[in-house]
Amino acid sequence: MGNASRNSTLMKLFFVVMLFSVNAASSQDLSMFLKKEYTSAEGKKLPYRILFPEEYDKTKTYPLILVLHGAGERGNDNTKQLTHGGKLFLDSVAREKYPAIVVFPQCPENEYWASVKIDRKQSPMVLDFDYTRPISTPLSTVMGLMHELIQNESVDSGRIYITGLSMGGMGTFEAVHRYPQMFACAMPICGGGDSQSYSKSKTPFWVFHGSIDAVVDVKYSHAMVAKLKKSKMKVNYSEYPGVNHNSWDNAFAEPAFLPWMFSHRSRQLTK
């Protein structure tokens, strides 16, 4: 074998090894989110992943972050919900600077976080939000999980945060509406809500959406932002020109995403 051929073979082997190492590291990172299952008083089971701070110390208290995934990550494998956003909270610098308990629940297949009826025959989809409908079982179960974590873990109840994308963005809006005293801030991404009946709260919002979203029309975020402003609530809005439905990539890449989140504190809940 000539030197050129040998070098080519070695380079190919090097890239294969590097690719394997990157994939292995990625898998190992996500495994730091522990696999758990919550059972509600009604017997409803909810798989979730939870990341504790490094050197978790129960004599201290930590912020609690709830992350609601989109429709594509529904199921019961207790893995897919980490697809978008999981690595954001595993970043070593972020973990050192912003120690927190991070929770990713997984919504069952064919169910939704939000009380919404969806017409998928059109693109973007037509969404009918109505908060006079009963709370969805998945969102109700998630809130049961949140109360359990507040009771049993070292949670700073004045620093409970919520974010979510697409279906999870819709769930983020609705969770704040139904539990206005719980969250210190909310960061819905490419979602929407019932802008007609939305109740006022003291929760600050940072809303994100892509301008050409072909799945969830940007008009739904526009309507919610207008409602929040009309209600004199604190709201920031970031719209990404030329970005389609995957605006979570832009949102999670915002340098101020975590600093803004962690800058907020609300009145502490009673445990």
Side-chain angles (χ1 to χ4, degrees), residues 183-196:
F183 300 103
C185 74
M187 305 174 78
I189 306 168
C190 58
D194 183 352
S195 59
Q196 296 302 310

Side-chain angles (χ1 to χ4, degrees), residues 71-72 118-127 166-167 170 190-191 209-220 243-246 248:
I118 302 178
D119 180 358
R120 299 180 181 275
K121 296 176 183 177
Q122 301 183 54
S123 179
M125 301 181 298
V126 176
L127 306 175
S166 193
M167 179 185 77
M170 302 172 200
C190 58
H209 218 120
S211 68
I212 59 168
D213 194 322
V215 179
V216 178
D217 199 310
V218 69
K219 71 180 182 181
Y220 295 109
V243 172
N244 203 321
H245 191 50
N246 63 323
W248 52 81

